[in-house]
Amino acid sequence: MIKTLWIVFAAFGGFTALAFSETSSAHAQGKELSRFIVEDRISGYVFLGEQVRALQDDDFQNPGMFAVDRGRALWNTVDGEAGKSCASCHGDAAETMAGVAARYPKFDANRGGIINLELRINEQRKTHMMAPPLEYESQDLLALTTYIANLSRGIPLGVNIEGEAAPFFEQGKKFFFKRRGQLDLACNQCHDDLDGMMLRGDKMSQGQINGFPFYRLIWNSVGSTHRMFQWCNTSMRAEPFTYGSEEYLNLELYVAWRGRGLLVESPAVRR
Amino acid sequence: MAAIRVAVPSTARKGEVIQIKTLVSHPMDNGFMLDFGGRFIPRWIINRFELEYNGEIVFSADWHLSISTNPYLIFYTVATETGQLDFKWYDDNGDIYTHTAKIIVT
């Protein structure tokens, strides 16, 4: 019985492989992957199948662009007691926000720690708009973050890890190399050592965050880096940290530095 | 609630076959999936799509289960006269999402 099953699987696998290669050849023509690779750092895009790449490449089809549209609308929406919108101070985001997302997360003196794009948006809402903070991972906050990140598309990641950010960077690095959970795995064991290998039906990526916030097909929605961190931690049967926690902020800084030079792809499409 | 994206050529020659692309954001829950609490997520889909060209239906489709999230549709029609294209998506909950595009036929 087991033998028959294997034969069925093999036949099915062969068939799908054939079907994929036929559709992919047209798209692969003239397609340059080198811009997704910087030295030994490889964007998750490279590990995708041709169909998912095509979904990301076409702004019309890319489901993450819905979040961008929504973010653009929110950017110009007045909220809070101050009667301001983001645009009241920052003007046209296409000019003022280009390249900003590539420099986040960064050290923030007021917080005395690392701040990322999501928390920065909420901080600005509080101090300048006098508006209530948007819930982390809510559609509205994701939309704004995706919109701002999208305006940095094509700009290389370059976070600052010098000076006051250095100790937090070290903590993030420590997190990355620390074994955790019932499976006793550290991030690096898969994402540094085994990238490109198969993890069940999927290819192990390097865990780069240059496409975040991204549209994840198995979630059917846009997700932030911290949601992905939580998902990863849960998958290795470790207790996840909360959204916006210091641990994840430090980790985000380390992972962003780890992908230095990779071009921002937000909103990327991933499996 | 549904966000809509439509691509229609703004101008066309009379008699030309034009491509129309539509994308609508919708969860398209098929009713067989469980949520994290183990309960069925009720069916919630868009069950019909229509395109009216100057008031006349030139393309329609009945959608059933197994249409994916964020349905993406490409189809073709013949540009006959200058006018208006009215897109309609019929939701299970009774909502009708609409979008209007103009085309100039020369």
Side-chain angles (χ1 to χ4, degrees):
Chain A
M1 181 59 194
I2 287 171
K3 202 170 182 184
T4 351
L5 267 182
W6 274 115
I7 292 166
V8 172
F9 273 134
F12 185 69
F15 173 74
T16 43
L18 199 73
F20 277 15
S21 62
E22 252 176 53
T23 49
S24 66
S25 56
H27 182 70
Q29 272 173 2
K31 192 75 210 163
E32 198 56 70
L33 280 179
S34 62
R35 70 191 185 92
F36 296 95
I37 301 170
V38 177
E39 294 168 20
D40 58 346
R41 305 185 283 281
I42 305 170
S43 163
Y45 183 91
V46 176
F47 300 102
L48 295 173
E50 292 289 347
Q51 284 87 350
V52 187
R53 284 182 195 164
L55 203 58
Q56 175 176 326
D57 291 341
D58 184 357
D59 276 354
F60 187 88
Q61 280 192 69
N62 186 338
M65 292 305 285
F66 280 126
V68 174
D69 293 342
R70 184 172 176 159
R72 189 180 298 116
L74 282 171
W75 180 266
N76 296 303
T77 306
V78 173
D79 195 6
E81 289 168 23
K84 286 183 181 173
S85 68
C86 306
S88 306
C89 297
H90 293 290
D92 184 6
E95 289 171 17
T96 55
M97 288 293 129
V100 168
R103 299 193 294 269
Y104 272 83
K106 57 160 70 167
F107 179 81
D108 180 60
N110 288 335
R111 271 181 66 85
I114 300 301
I115 195 166
N116 65 2
L117 213 48
E118 284 88 347
L119 296 181
R120 177 67 85 198
I121 291 168
N122 270 339
E123 184 227 303
Q124 298 279 311
R125 280 175 63 83
K126 189 177 158 196
T127 53
H128 297 292
M129 293 166 69
M130 291 198 268
L134 298 169
E135 197 186 329
Y136 211 105
E137 213 59 26
S138 65
Q139 293 301 311
D140 282 352
L141 186 55
L142 278 171
L144 272 173
T145 320
T146 314
Y147 173 54
I148 293 167
N150 178 249
L151 293 169
S152 297
R153 192 152 67 171
I155 293 171
L157 279 185
V159 291
N160 181 20
I161 59 161
E162 307 284 320
E164 285 166 309
F168 301 98
F169 172 78
E170 286 305 321
Q171 286 190 17
K173 187 174 182 180
K174 203 179 275 177
F175 188 105
F176 193 83
F177 286 92
K178 188 176 182 210
R179 289 170 170 242
R180 62 188 71 247
Q182 289 180 331
L183 296 187
D184 201 27
L185 282 169
C187 309
N188 73 302
Q189 288 180 295
C190 290
H191 292 300
D192 276 352
D193 302 344
L194 297 174
D195 60 286
M197 311 273 276
M198 297 303 285
L199 177 68
R200 306 179 78 181
D202 206 356
K203 260 193 188 155
M204 176 59 70
S205 80
Q206 288 192 346
Q208 302 288 5
I209 57 167
N210 55 317
F212 280 71
F214 70 151
Y215 188 91
R216 191 153 193 228
L217 294 172
I218 67 167
W219 291 341
N220 265 348
S221 74
V222 179
S224 69
T225 35
H226 288 202
R227 184 174 176 192
M228 192 65 207
F229 291 160
Q230 281 200 347
W231 189 90
C232 266
N233 277 170
T234 314
S235 301
M236 59 178 80
R237 299 184 204 164
E239 191 69 39
F241 293 88
T242 52
Y243 294 136
S245 60
E246 299 304 317
E247 288 83 356
Y248 281 170
L249 288 169
N250 297 342
L251 177 64
E252 193 179 341
L253 178 65
Y254 173 72
V255 177
W257 170 84
R258 192 169 158 269
R260 63 203 177 281
L262 288 176
L263 305 183
V264 174
E265 292 170 30
S266 313
V269 180
R270 300 285 185 264
R271 284 185 61 197
Chain B
M1 71 134 269
I4 289 163
R5 203 173 292 155
V6 168
V8 180
S10 53
T11 58
R13 291 187 310 280
K14 194 172 171 65
E16 186 183 343
V17 176
I18 53 169
Q19 186 194 58
I20 295 172
K21 295 200 285 183
T22 71
L23 182 69
V24 55
S25 77
H26 198 280
M28 298 296 276
D29 291 319
N30 63 13
F32 301 116
M33 304 273 275
L34 299 174
D35 64 12
F36 287 114
R39 295 167 299 262
F40 282 106
I41 301 168
R43 169 187 150 146
W44 180 28
I45 65 170
I46 291 171
N47 56 48
R48 187 171 167 78
F49 169 78
E50 281 176 3
L51 169 64
E52 286 180 11
Y53 191 167
N54 284 341
E56 185 194 348
I57 294 181
V58 292
F59 183 93
S60 71
D62 287 323
W63 288 351
H64 301 275
L65 303 183
S66 302
I67 301 281
S68 75
T69 303
N70 304 333
Y72 175 56
L73 188 64
I74 300 181
F75 57 94
Y76 298 85
T77 189
V78 179
T80 51
E81 55 194 17
T82 300
Q84 185 168 313
L85 297 162
D86 291 305
F87 300 81
K88 283 184 191 167
W89 290 262
Y90 293 81
D91 194 298
D92 270 353
N93 64 15
D95 287 352
I96 300 174
Y97 311 123
T98 57
H99 181 90
T100 303
K102 297 254 193 296
I103 184 165
I104 297 167
V105 177
T106 52

